[in-house]
Amino acid sequence: MKIAVFSTAPDLFQPLESEGWVILAITGSSHEANLPDPLDDVPIWIVDSPRFPDMESVLAGINSRNGKHGPQRILIRTRPARGIPSVEAWGDVFDDFLYDPVDLGELVHRLRSASARLRRNSQCNRTCETALRFERVFENRCVGVVICDFTGHIIESNRQFAQMIGYQPDELQGLSIAKITHPEDLPREAAALKPLTEGQISKVVLEKRYLRKDGTVVWGRLYVSIGEMYGPGQGWGLALVEDITPTKLAEHAERESRIRWQSLVENLPDAIAVVDSQFHVRYFNHPTPAEAEGTCILNWIDAKDRARFLAKLEQARDERVITSSETRNGNGRICYYRCVPQVAEDGSVRDLIIIGIDLTERYRIESELRQKEACLRRLLDVGELDRRLIWDEIHNHLGQELTGLALALNKLAAAGEGAHLDRVAGTAARLAQRCLAVCRNLADAVHSGTLDRFGLVPALQELVDRRSTETGRTIRFKAPTREMALLPHLATSLFRIAEQLLKTGLLAHETAPVELALSCDDQWATLELFVTGGSQPTGEQMARDPDLIVVRERALLLDGEFAVHEAEEGLRWTCRIPLSGGTA
């Protein structure tokens, strides 16, 4: 052990080195006695005051080194009669005193006593520091700390744990752990801690629920270890408790969301599959033995469509884009597939989500609808043929007979063979003329003879002229300069639509000008009726008109369109019929 000797005669203390002491001598004038820094780690100082007269300088240096809590200090002094201050002057600075002349044996004894005191003080200081450090760690940790005996009662807990379960720290002293543990977790906790208390393991980690003072539940993760064992089943343990309630709530919400999502996906009528980058199935919501996980999804596709479907999958994987295709699967059903790539954080495609919609039933219904539409059109053609036959019967046969009767009656009236016969013949001739006019009107209502003789444009022009004459209204008609060669059923449908539009337009306003326009391109034949001026019914009101409903249904039956448009200058009805091969 090192010893610092303050003396102008340090050779007097050299014999101490034979006892194992290392002597560091401080000699010279009082200005050299300011205790240099190398002495900071020297545990024992000896001040030889008779041979180091400037004690004031020494005392100043000693006081700057932590007073009584620094190294052990021994003062060698003379009797007060020689003028040296008394013991009391330095009693609060030095730990021991010797008188000059020095007895080396007594000095060795004092040095050993000082060394023992140093060791005791050092051990005591370390113990106090350890206890203070443990107390700070115990109270200031961000997790709960609990010390319990092997009977399950709390010996001590920190403030963090008390706050976690809603108690005051002093309320937890002696409280049973079972009282603040959820009843469902008690058996599991006891089974986990049993090997620990029996010494089979040194630590255990478990999760459990605590019951707060207000009755709510919190989750904690425990790191439990044995502190000390006095004997079998006796001792205490230390538990660090981490509040994991937010994590558990998030896990519960995620689990509930996953269950809802899985239930939704598994009950969807559409097929949803997840495949890896090599197109092997990782998940399928409607699995069958042939469609189990691990199989290649290409095996589900019809061999004829497999190459095209593979190209769509590779495009989605390599270009990271959404692709779609319509293919037949292995059992011949037509399906629409949409492939969505799932891109990882590093930019690679982790897997592909494939959504399949079965279109077989849809196509079957569409095919049936097309067949029904074709049947309806055939019925229209048959109906048109029937109207032509009725027209022929009325116009050609009945009309001709009535015309012959009228001529015969006129000849009879012209013969002048009696006044009475003349009157009867004249009355009969007038009745025959009226019957003939009714037959002609009926024939035109059933079928337009002008439509057959001259075509659609002249027939519409005749219709416009007739309506204009009957109503005294101004009706303008716009049409192509050349006749359109249409199939008979299309020409008849357009003529009937024009009749309905004119009837509705003339009723929309009593005096407003009316314009009918016909146009045709490579795909559509369009009829437009425009009514201008004055206050008019709204387009919504006109759309509910029975005649316009007939027009709309006729247009839809022919895959056409019908719309009513409102504008500041008036109302416009537009009907578009696809030619669909009707143009010759």
Side-chain angles (χ1 to χ4, degrees):
M1 182 177 290
K2 295 180 180 180
I3 302 173
V5 177
F6 294 83
S7 176
T8 56
D11 54 329
L12 296 176
F13 302 91
Q14 291 299 322
L16 294 176
E17 293 183 348
S18 62
E19 299 289 336
W21 308 99
V22 179
I23 305 299
L24 299 177
I26 306 298
T27 61
S29 65
S30 62
H31 299 289
E32 298 175 351
N34 291 327
L35 306 183
D37 289 339
L39 293 181
D40 286 347
D41 61 346
V42 178
I44 300 177
W45 294 352
I46 299 175
V47 180
D48 185 10
S49 64
R51 299 171 185 82
F52 209 92
D54 192 356
M55 290 302 299
E56 298 297 332
S57 176
V58 175
L59 288 175
I62 290 176
N63 288 332
S64 67
R65 306 294 173 112
N66 300 326
K68 287 285 288 184
H69 301 289
Q72 293 288 303
R73 291 177 281 274
I74 302 174
L75 174 64
I76 300 177
R77 67 185 184 85
T78 57
R79 298 289 186 257
R82 296 181 60 182
I84 301 300
S86 62
V87 175
E88 289 75 9
W90 297 320
D92 59 344
V93 175
F94 291 93
D95 302 288
D96 204 349
F97 301 92
L98 284 174
Y99 289 95
D100 188 37
V102 179
D103 183 350
L104 292 180
E106 180 67 16
L107 181 58
V108 169
H109 174 71
R110 301 292 179 87
L111 289 174
R112 289 174 178 171
S113 298
S115 298
R117 286 196 300 273
L118 282 173
R119 285 193 296 272
R120 288 195 301 272
N121 292 341
S122 177
Q123 184 176 3
C124 181
N125 290 338
R126 286 196 299 271
T127 302
C128 293
E129 290 176 359
T130 301
L132 181 61
R133 189 180 301 113
F134 176 79
E135 182 178 358
R136 289 176 179 174
V137 170
F138 189 82
E139 289 296 335
N140 297 325
R141 286 190 68 90
C142 58
V143 297
V145 182
V146 185
I147 299 176
C148 296
D149 58 23
F150 282 7
T151 64
H153 290 80
I154 297 176
I155 300 174
E156 191 174 359
S157 61
N158 69 344
R159 187 181 301 104
Q160 183 69 22
F161 179 74
Q163 292 176 354
M164 174 181 167
I165 60 174
Y167 286 81
Q168 295 296 326
D170 55 351
E171 294 179 319
L172 296 175
Q173 295 291 336
L175 189 66
S176 174
I177 289 293
K179 186 177 179 180
I180 58 175
T181 301
H182 196 283
E184 295 179 0
D185 294 343
L186 285 174
R188 182 168 54 86
E189 182 183 25
L193 293 179
K194 184 178 180 181
L196 185 68
T197 57
E198 292 178 352
Q200 300 177 13
I201 56 177
S202 60
K203 58 184 177 180
V204 66
V205 179
L206 69 144
E207 295 179 356
K208 72 171 191 176
R209 290 166 288 181
Y210 285 99
L211 297 177
R212 289 174 54 88
K213 190 175 182 179
D214 58 6
T216 58
V217 176
V218 293
W219 277 90
R221 181 180 289 118
L222 285 71
Y223 304 86
V224 188
S225 60
I226 295 298
E228 186 177 3
M229 294 186 66
Y230 310 133
Q234 296 181 348
W236 59 272
L238 176 68
L240 301 181
V241 184
E242 178 186 1
D243 187 356
I244 59 171
T245 305
T247 303
K248 285 294 182 179
L249 292 177
E251 291 177 355
H252 178 74
E254 182 182 359
R255 185 166 54 253
E256 291 293 326
S257 176
R258 187 183 303 112
I259 292 174
R260 288 194 299 270
W261 179 86
Q262 186 173 0
S263 175
L264 173 65
V265 170
E266 290 179 353
N267 289 282
L268 282 176
D270 302 330
I272 299 178
V274 180
V275 301
D276 58 21
S277 58
Q278 300 303 316
F279 315 131
H280 290 90
V281 179
R282 296 175 54 187
Y283 170 80
F284 184 52
N285 63 335
H286 299 304
T288 64
E291 298 167 341
E293 295 183 9
T295 61
C296 183
I297 197 171
L298 295 175
N299 296 335
W300 304 1
I301 307 302
D302 186 86
K304 296 179 180 179
D305 296 338
R306 196 168 294 169
R308 180 162 52 87
F309 186 70
L310 175 60
K312 292 293 183 178
L313 292 179
E314 291 176 343
Q315 180 184 4
R317 179 193 62 187
D318 299 338
E319 301 179 13
R320 300 176 182 82
V321 295
I322 299 175
T323 60
S324 59
S325 62
E326 190 173 303
T327 59
R328 294 182 180 272
N329 57 17
N331 55 13
R333 301 187 70 85
I334 302 174
C335 295
Y336 170 81
Y337 291 102
R338 188 174 181 86
C339 184
V340 182
Q342 300 297 297
V343 183
E345 294 182 356
D346 58 358
S348 61
V349 175
R350 182 176 64 250
D351 47 39
L352 302 172
I353 297 178
I354 301 175
I355 304 171
I357 303 175
D358 191 346
L359 302 179
T360 307
E361 186 66 17
R362 174 183 170 183
Y363 282 159
R364 184 188 65 79
I365 294 174
E366 289 180 353
S367 176
E368 291 180 355
L369 288 176
R370 284 193 296 270
Q371 292 175 4
K372 292 179 179 179
E373 287 181 5
C375 181
L376 288 175
R377 287 176 180 172
R378 286 194 296 271
L379 290 175
L380 286 176
D381 293 339
V382 172
E384 183 63 24
L385 178 60
D386 290 340
R387 286 193 295 270
R388 287 170 180 261
L389 294 175
I390 295 172
W391 173 83
D392 183 68
E393 288 289 333
I394 295 174
H395 185 272
N396 295 336
H397 295 82
L398 182 58
Q400 289 178 5
E401 294 295 332
L402 288 174
T403 302
L405 177 60
L407 292 175
L409 290 173
N410 288 332
K411 289 180 179 180
L412 180 62
E417 298 177 358
H420 177 68
L421 184 60
D422 184 26
R423 288 194 299 272
V424 173
T427 301
R430 287 192 296 272
L431 288 174
Q433 291 292 340
R434 285 198 293 270
C435 289
L436 183 59
V438 171
C439 289
R440 288 173 179 170
N441 291 334
L442 181 60
D444 287 339
V446 173
H447 183 76
S448 174
T450 309
L451 189 63
D452 288 337
R453 292 192 296 271
F454 303 108
L456 178 61
V457 173
L460 290 177
Q461 183 65 59
E462 182 189 27
L463 174 66
V464 169
D465 294 341
R466 185 170 69 250
R467 293 298 186 190
S468 179
T469 302
E470 292 173 353
T471 61
R473 301 275 295 276
T474 301
I475 304 176
R476 293 188 297 273
F477 177 59
K478 292 183 179 180
T481 56
R482 63 182 181 87
E483 174 60 26
M484 296 179 295
L486 302 175
L487 291 178
H489 75 280
L490 288 178
T492 303
S493 297
L494 288 171
F495 183 82
R496 296 302 180 195
I497 290 172
E499 282 186 318
Q500 298 289 343
L501 290 177
L502 276 175
K503 178 180 177 182
T504 305
L506 292 172
L507 293 175
H509 195 277
E510 296 180 354
T511 59
V514 177
E515 179 180 292
L516 178 68
L518 172 67
S519 60
C520 186
D521 55 23
D522 294 337
Q523 297 181 351
W524 297 88
T526 304
L527 269 173
E528 285 188 314
L529 185 73
F530 184 65
V531 181
T532 60
S535 60
Q536 303 166 11
T538 63
E540 183 178 356
Q541 293 172 341
M542 298 303 299
R544 295 195 295 267
D545 185 273
D547 293 320
L548 293 184
I549 293 176
V550 173
V551 172
R552 182 186 297 107
E553 294 301 325
R554 188 182 291 273
L556 293 177
L557 187 60
L558 296 171
D559 296 329
E561 302 172 353
F562 176 72
V564 180
H565 305 283
E566 292 184 69
E568 294 181 359
E569 61 274 12
L571 286 175
R572 183 183 300 275
W573 294 275
T574 303
C575 182
R576 303 175 70 221
I577 305 297
L579 299 181
S580 302
T583 303

